[in-house]
């Protein structure tokens, strides 16, 4: 089992959260809410208005998201779903725990896998940086779901 940190369309209430609930992909158990210890640029970019965590540590904001415990099957599914390693790259980051469900939670922070990218157009660094993502947020950039592409 591993912990993953999701900050975009995989969060509860977001367009792709359903894949986290589909047990045919493996197991994903919500553990709590957190934010990245380091700052990163979270941008909404591309023709489908996808949230991207650009792997530029120290730039941007501490990014808010959700922590899940996943099994190896779900981790492999998510690697494929996230286009890893071409679109996103999975890497371990330290995540500050803001809220934890159940007993035995970490005191302050834990290491989680996160899908971020080093493969992006340079102009994305000029886009607005977000602290958190909501597909229907005030940014006005509607996410185009995969099934509509």
């Amino acid at each position: 089992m591993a912990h993953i940190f999701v900050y975009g369309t995989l969060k509860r209430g977001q367009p792709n959260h359903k894949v986290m609930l589909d047990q045919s992909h493996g197991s994903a158990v919500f553990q709590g809410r957190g934010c990245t210890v380091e700052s990163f640029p979270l941008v909404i970019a591309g023709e489908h208005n996808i949230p991207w965590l650009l792997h530029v540590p120290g730039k941007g904001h501490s990014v808010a998201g959700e922590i899940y415990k996943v099994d190896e099957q779900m981790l492999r599914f998510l690697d494929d779903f996230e286009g890893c390693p071409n679109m996103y790259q999975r890497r371990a980051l330290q995540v500050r725990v803001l809220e934890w469900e159940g007993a035995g939670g970490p005191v302050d922070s834990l290491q989680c896998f996160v899908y971020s990218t080093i493969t992006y157009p340079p102009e994305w660094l000029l886009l607005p940086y977000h602290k958190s993502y909501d597909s229907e947020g005030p940014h006005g950039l509607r996410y185009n779901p995969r099934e509509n592409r």
Side-chain angles (χ1 to χ4, degrees):
M1 299 293 271
H3 285 103
I4 65 161
F5 176 75
V6 298
Y7 55 84
T9 65
L10 292 173
K11 294 187 309 184
R12 295 179 296 176
Q14 297 303 307
N16 291 322
H17 182 68
K18 60 188 172 283
V19 305
M20 302 291 284
L21 303 174
D22 187 339
Q23 293 186 343
S24 71
H25 303 313
S27 171
V29 178
F30 177 78
Q31 298 282 271
R33 294 182 322 99
C35 63
T36 59
V37 169
E38 285 187 275
S39 297
F40 293 93
L42 172 60
V43 300
I44 302 168
E47 68 175 305
H48 302 297
N49 293 322
I50 295 172
W52 298 85
L53 190 70
L54 308 183
H55 192 72
V56 185
K59 195 171 180 78
H61 304 287
S62 175
V63 174
E66 297 175 347
I67 302 163
Y68 289 82
K69 188 188 308 186
V70 299
D71 64 8
E72 187 62 32
Q73 181 183 349
M74 179 61 81
L75 200 55
R76 284 191 310 269
F77 170 80
L78 290 172
D79 280 352
D80 184 58
F81 186 81
E82 296 289 10
C84 185
N86 298 323
M87 278 181 55
Y88 292 94
Q89 296 81 45
R90 175 168 44 102
R91 57 182 43 88
L93 293 180
Q94 204 64 21
V95 173
R96 182 177 305 111
V97 176
L98 302 175
E99 183 181 294
W100 193 262
E101 282 198 1
V107 176
D108 183 42
S109 67
L110 77 161
Q111 194 169 70
C112 297
F113 286 122
V114 65
Y115 293 92
S116 62
T117 188
I118 57 170
T119 53
Y120 56 87
E123 60 269 18
W124 285 9
L125 283 171
L126 304 175
L127 294 171
Y129 299 162
H130 302 272
K131 292 180 182 178
S132 65
Y133 174 79
D134 184 331
S135 62
E136 297 184 18
H139 49 73
L141 301 168
R142 292 281 184 204
Y143 173 75
N144 184 22
R146 291 170 181 236
E147 56 269 17
N148 295 346
R149 297 180 199 166

